[in-house]
Each structure stands twice: as C-alpha cells, then as structure tokens.
Amino acid sequence: MIYMDNAATTIQKPDEVKAAVMAAFDSMGNAGRGASRPSLDASRVIYDTREKLARLFHGRNAKQIVFTVNSTESLNIAIKGLFQKGDHVITTVLEHNSVLRPLYECESRGMELTILGCDEKGNISYEEMEAAVRENTKAVVCTHASNLTGNMIDLEKVGGITEKYGLLLVVDASQTAGVYPIDVEKFHIDVLCFTGHKSLRGPQGTGGIWVREGVQISPLLSGGSGIDTYNEHHPSEMPAALEAGTLNGHGIAGLGAAVSYIERTGMDSIREKELLLMRRFYEGVSCIPGVEVYGDFETDRRAPIVTLNIRDYDSSEVSDELSEEYGIVTRPGAHCAPLMHKALGTVEQGAVRFSFSHYNTEEEVDLAINAVKNLTCE
C-alpha cells in the first residue's frame, strides 16, 4: 500500500507514539480523581502534554490548552460558545464543514455571517476581509490551510486586521498543526483549534483548543471535572471550564509523545520533506494532458496537498482505480469542503486528493505519477 491520504489522517505514526499509548494502558488511572499513583500518573502525563502543546504554539500558559476528541469538537466549542444573536462573523469559502455547519447553526439563531469568496486559484482577498468588517463584527473564523487545495491563509495578515478592529481570531489549524510553525502571540490568535491525528501524528480521538487568557467561551458540555464537586455549576477556571468527564488519557499520552517526536526531528525538516514530495508529484502530473490540478502552486507556502481530476472521470472511480490497480490510497469526493468545490466548479465530479507525509518516498511519488499517466490513457 502507498498511503497518500495524510490530510485525512496519518497512518504511519512514530514508534514512540505507539509505545506511549501501550504504556498508558498499563499505568494510567483517571486524572484528577484521587491521589492514587495511577491517578497522579495520568495527571502528570496529561499536564506534560499540555505544556508541550503550549510550547509548540508559543502559548504562555499550559492551562489554556483544552483537550477534545478532534478539531470538530474544538470548533463547535469555540463557535457555539463565543457567538450570540446580533454578532457578525467573517469566514471564507475555504472552510471545512466543521467550521461552516456550527456557523450556520449560529446564523439560524440570529448571528450574522459573511463568507468571503476566492479567486480562480482558491486564494482569498485580505482587502475584502477588511472591507467586510462592520460595527457589530465580533470575529474572523478561518482555516490556516484548505484541506482541498492546500492553499494557506496568511494568519499574520488576518491577525493584523483583527487586532486593528478589536476582533477575535479563531483559527482551524487541522491541516497545519505539526507541520507549520504557529505562533499564537505573533499572529494575534485568540482561539486555536487543532486535531491530533493528522500532522501532529498522534492517535485518533485526540485534539484540543488553545484559548487566550481573558477570552470567555461558554462550555459546550458540563459534568464531572474532578474538582469543585458541590458547585451546581461547571468550574470556570481553565482548563476544566471547557473539559467535562474523563479525558482520553491513553490518546493524550500518545499525542504528547508525538509532539516530542516533532520537536526532536524538527518541524522544518518534516515540512521540507513533505513539500519536496508534493512539488515532485505536482510537476509530474500537472503537465499530463487531461489532468487538471487545483490550487495555487506558485508558492511553497502551502499544505502538502495536490488535488486533481482526470478529464471528466468521476473522482471516486479514479480513486478506486488507483487503490485497486496500483495500491495507492487517496481521497475522492467533496472532502467536507462544499463552498470550495462550488468555487472550483467540481461539485458534481468531486476531486482526487493526494496528501503527503514525510514517511512517503520519492519512489512512491514516481509510482503515483505513472499511475495518473496510465489512467489518462485509458
């Protein structure tokens, strides 16, 4: 199997991630539920992972890291816990449904929503973003990189706009956390949502939110927290304010080991390898007659994704053929990015996404290029 669906989830995990999860099964109790050694061991591992993530994102206080099961939960907590009737929010057509659907729900309850369009290569206009700001604008909610085209949004520019007008900036870092440096202070980010199972290379069922101190988010869930048991209301101090119930301690142990792997290996080295493979594949397929590639490849500041179509073939049929005949795993269809497909004119056909990991090889990329060539001749 040649696995090129890393934008959906990374299958190949560092050995220490697997070891950390297995060790947790043998030692981890329930964090914050007593003073026994297993409970304290769990608390230490979970807090250690908070500290690693805060350091990764240049956050000052590890208590501002909240654990969730994935970016979807993180974004639902942030969006539904921040915006009320009468608020105005700006977002983009690049967004995943984990951003769009919670925003649509808030819109149905009286929140106002502006969705910025894009050009033919899938890039947004920062001038249009600034022009969209109103008196009641509360926030910009945007992805860091499109999961369909790989195009990135310049968070430093967006953060400059939100700081200028006193707005909140909520960022979906699903495709970039672990592969691109994210500095929440430099980019003026107020809420950063991330998942563990993609470029952070952790287990599925892990994710989180970093929340700037002073930003108040109403909790999505309430319940057991291990503290303040006799209070009728959920605790207000972070991180318990946005966490309820038993955390996925085994997964968080693996996520902590994954962040350590990234620190040791070097994020820059990982990213350079992935972008090298992406560029090799792009240059190999973009010149093939009948192949259309989507996105902006004039810059290497992008997620390691190449999405394409072959003539008018259905994307699912192409992906199936790649899997069955060549053992290449890709992602076809709509990618939970409906507005981006509408912008590209690929609603009916969908598109085939190749997404690369530093575990992929140049030989695998060359085999994938040849497979695409062969399919164009059929």
Side-chain angles (χ1 to χ4, degrees):
M1 180 181 71
I2 298 174
Y3 188 80
M4 294 183 171
D5 193 20
N6 293 282
T9 194
T10 49
I11 279 187
Q12 293 163 292
K13 309 292 185 183
D15 289 340
E16 50 261 65
V17 172
K18 304 170 191 176
V21 173
M22 293 306 298
F25 279 124
D26 291 331
S27 64
M28 187 172 284
N30 201 328
R33 274 68 172 178
S36 65
R37 181 174 178 179
S39 178
L40 293 175
D41 283 347
S43 296
R44 292 187 187 101
V45 168
I46 288 169
Y47 191 76
D48 181 59
T49 304
R50 290 193 209 275
E51 288 193 315
K52 291 176 181 177
L53 288 164
R55 184 167 62 246
L56 185 72
F57 300 133
H58 300 272
R60 297 176 183 174
N61 187 349
K63 291 183 178 180
Q64 298 304 115
I65 292 284
V66 172
F67 288 113
T68 65
V69 300
N70 49 42
S71 286
T72 299
E73 184 181 17
S74 299
L75 288 159
N76 271 266
I77 290 170
I79 291 169
K80 294 177 181 178
L82 282 172
F83 307 132
Q84 307 294 328
K85 181 179 180 180
D87 291 335
H88 173 239
V89 173
I90 300 169
T91 191
T92 80
V93 296
L94 279 68
E95 307 309 317
H96 189 278
N97 270 336
S98 55
V99 170
L100 294 173
R101 285 175 172 166
L103 285 175
Y104 292 150
E105 286 185 40
C106 291
E107 186 181 31
S108 72
R109 294 192 289 269
M111 186 199 78
E112 300 172 18
L113 182 63
T114 295
I115 302 175
L116 301 176
C118 66
D119 63 18
E120 67 279 359
K121 290 186 177 180
N123 293 315
I124 66 165
S125 164
Y126 301 98
E127 291 76 15
E128 289 181 9
M129 177 178 287
E130 185 167 4
V133 176
R134 308 173 186 169
E135 288 187 4
N136 63 329
T137 303
K138 185 170 184 178
V140 173
V141 181
C142 68
T143 187
H144 193 190
S146 165
N147 74 315
L148 177 58
T149 65
N151 290 6
M152 292 183 66
I153 287 179
D154 188 333
L155 293 182
E156 196 163 4
K157 287 185 178 179
V158 177
I161 294 170
T162 56
E163 185 189 30
K164 178 179 177 180
Y165 293 96
L167 311 178
L168 296 174
L169 175 54
V170 180
V171 174
D172 173 11
S174 299
Q175 295 297 330
T176 55
V179 70
Y180 270 94
I182 298 173
D183 189 325
V184 293
E185 297 297 333
K186 180 180 179 181
F187 299 159
H188 305 290
I189 296 171
D190 295 286
V191 181
L192 182 75
C193 300
F194 58 92
T195 196
H197 68 100
K198 298 182 190 283
S199 292
L200 280 172
R201 293 165 179 81
Q204 293 181 359
T206 61
I209 314 173
W210 175 86
V211 182
R212 182 178 298 280
E213 291 183 71
V215 174
Q216 298 297 316
I217 299 176
S218 298
L220 186 66
L221 302 173
S222 59
S225 59
I227 61 172
D228 206 10
T229 295
Y230 296 101
N231 188 341
E232 294 180 357
H233 304 286
H234 198 73
S236 59
E237 62 268 27
M238 293 285 280
L242 298 178
E243 292 176 347
T246 299
L247 296 175
N248 177 13
H250 306 103
I252 292 169
L255 181 58
V259 176
S260 294
Y261 169 82
I262 292 169
E263 290 176 333
R264 188 181 72 255
T265 306
M267 188 185 297
D268 291 346
S269 297
I270 292 171
R271 182 176 65 258
E272 287 169 8
K273 172 72 179 297
E274 293 181 356
L275 291 177
L276 179 69
L277 297 174
M278 176 211 71
R279 181 62 62 179
R280 186 184 186 95
F281 181 75
Y282 169 74
E283 292 177 350
V285 299
S286 60
C287 59
I288 300 173
V291 172
E292 182 171 2
V293 179
Y294 305 98
D296 185 357
F297 287 85
E298 293 181 4
T299 173
D300 274 340
R301 185 165 176 74
R302 52 176 292 107
I305 290 170
V306 180
T307 300
L308 58 81
N309 273 317
I310 298 175
R311 299 196 182 92
D312 60 351
Y313 297 159
D314 181 80
S315 62
S316 294
E317 293 179 1
V318 173
S319 187
D320 287 347
E321 190 77 5
L322 287 167
S323 177
E324 293 171 8
E325 296 299 323
Y326 301 95
I328 300 170
V329 178
T330 58
R331 169 79 186 274
H335 310 88
C336 302
L339 300 185
M340 198 69 245
H341 275 283
K342 289 179 181 178
L344 297 173
T346 53
V347 170
E348 298 299 326
Q349 187 178 14
V352 184
R353 184 184 67 193
F354 295 75
S355 49
F356 303 94
S357 164
H358 70 299
Y359 286 115
N360 288 124
T361 66
E362 292 184 354
E363 291 75 19
E364 289 178 333
V365 168
D366 291 341
L367 286 169
I369 293 169
N370 287 327
V372 172
K373 286 180 180 177
N374 291 340
L375 291 179
T376 62
C377 298
E378 294 181 1

